[in-house]
Amino acid sequence: MVIEPSKRISVVAAALSADVRTAARMAREAGFGGLQFDAVSKAFDATDLSQSGLREFSHILSSQGQQLVGLRYDVGQHGLRPGVDVDRLLWQMSKVMAAAAGLRAPLVCVEVGPLPEPPAKVAPRPKVNPDLAGLLILPPTVEAPPPQPAEATPAELAHQASVDTAMAALAQRCDQAGVTLAFRSELSSFAALLRAVQGPRCPWFAIDLDPVALLRDAWSADEVFSQIAPLIRHVRARDAAVGSDRRTKPLPIGRGDTKWDELLANLEAAGYGGVLTVDPLELTDRLAGASAGLAYLRTKGL
């Protein structure tokens, strides 16, 4: 039985099959409305497709009633740290963006790797109010200077400079390709991600929102949305259980600690009307995880 597809819920193609045709058929039969493909994988490399290959790829998806939500790309475990071959990275990213443009993909979701954290803000000490000191006689005090955040180490400064350089160069290539890059970082806070994305002031830069990252972050969900809401261009739909140390264990959507009603309400308030892409790749049974995620999100009216 083929289920009527939900146009707002897509799935990572690798969760279904490494074969493009099979993944498109399975997505349609399951009731997904779209697919997100890894730009470069062992089974598929969008950057090597010829013009006829790009057309054939698009035809395969459209024949199954599937939209291409976008491509995914991971810059690697070292991210944009000093020592990374930035020229090679930019060359590869240019190929990915060219493929996305050729496929008329709306965006490329980029795992940008570890980012330097912004200096922690130091809360000022409360002033002693003589009116609240009772009958105690307080000696006159000299106003202490406000506390200053810890200075960045040379390694942190070098990392930040490397990120700034790479992101500025990527911004130029986005302008040339006309492709949006939606960034996320498994190993960094939303504060670090926001600083990296906003640095070049590039209109093509956006954020790929990960609910599991919300569970790990020091910011509350309200704080995150107050900062990044206008930048959200894609939602990576997945779930997890979170421990006291903020470590997470992957679980099917709806069975973890994500507050989906609150998350969806925040997305609606932010004016986000885009796609949520179910990503069950960290689950043992990917197919079951994809189906469970779709079923749960449908109960929320998507």
Side-chain angles (χ1 to χ4, degrees):
M1 180 181 70
V2 177
I3 302 172
E4 184 66 23
S6 172
K7 296 301 182 183
R8 286 202 64 194
I9 308 175
S10 65
V11 65
V12 176
L16 305 181
S17 173
D19 179 73
V20 175
R21 295 180 186 274
T22 303
R25 175 182 57 79
M26 291 178 67
R28 176 182 62 84
E29 293 175 349
F32 289 101
L35 288 159
Q36 186 185 50
F37 286 84
D38 289 306
V40 180
S41 68
K42 293 180 180 179
F44 173 74
D45 188 344
T47 67
D48 282 343
L49 292 177
S50 62
Q51 288 299 318
S52 60
L54 293 171
R55 288 193 297 270
E56 176 65 14
F57 180 90
S58 298
H59 175 71
I60 291 171
L61 297 191
S62 62
S63 68
Q64 296 293 336
Q66 297 295 297
Q67 62 176 322
L68 176 61
V69 171
L71 301 178
R72 293 162 40 117
Y73 185 73
D74 190 330
V75 304
Q77 61 179 338
H78 299 298
L80 305 176
R81 290 184 183 277
V84 170
D85 189 341
V86 175
D87 289 337
R88 178 175 178 78
L89 172 63
L90 294 173
W91 171 75
Q92 184 64 43
M93 282 297 302
S94 294
K95 291 179 63 180
V96 170
M97 286 188 280
L103 292 168
R104 297 184 180 177
L107 53 77
V108 177
C109 292
V110 181
E111 167 55 57
V112 74
L115 297 167
E117 294 294 328
K121 294 181 179 179
V122 180
R125 294 185 218 167
K127 295 181 181 180
V128 177
N129 186 340
D131 294 335
L132 301 178
L135 299 178
L136 292 176
I137 300 176
L138 299 176
T141 58
V142 178
E143 186 73 21
Q148 300 296 319
E151 293 185 3
T153 65
E156 290 170 337
L157 291 173
H159 190 186
Q160 185 62 57
S162 180
V163 169
D164 291 345
T165 299
M167 295 294 278
L170 274 177
Q172 292 180 348
R173 284 158 176 78
C174 283
D175 281 332
Q176 296 166 1
V179 173
T180 295
L181 298 183
F183 295 93
R184 67 172 185 269
S185 175
E186 291 264 0
L187 300 175
S188 308
S189 68
F190 277 104
L193 180 62
L194 183 64
R195 183 168 69 169
V197 170
Q198 288 185 324
R201 297 184 179 181
C202 176
W204 298 99
F205 280 6
I207 286 179
D208 181 9
L209 179 64
D210 182 356
V212 174
L214 281 172
L215 296 175
R216 298 189 188 120
D217 207 77
W219 283 354
S220 68
D222 287 342
E223 288 175 308
V224 170
F225 273 92
S226 70
Q227 296 293 325
I228 73 166
L231 293 168
I232 299 172
R233 293 294 181 275
H234 181 262
V235 177
R236 182 189 188 191
R238 59 182 191 145
D239 209 341
V242 61
S244 57
D245 57 357
R246 296 189 184 275
R247 293 190 180 185
T248 55
K249 176 183 178 182
L251 289 173
I253 292 173
R255 300 182 192 173
D257 290 321
T258 296
K259 298 177 181 178
W260 286 98
D261 289 334
E262 178 182 312
L263 175 65
L264 294 173
N266 278 327
L267 287 170
E268 183 177 0
Y272 180 75
V275 171
L276 288 79
T277 300
V278 176
D279 182 354
L281 297 185
E282 292 187 350
L283 300 176
T284 303
D285 191 335
R286 294 177 174 180
L287 289 176
S291 297
L294 173 62
Y296 181 83
L297 291 175
R298 282 190 163 216
T299 67
K300 302 301 179 182
L302 297 175

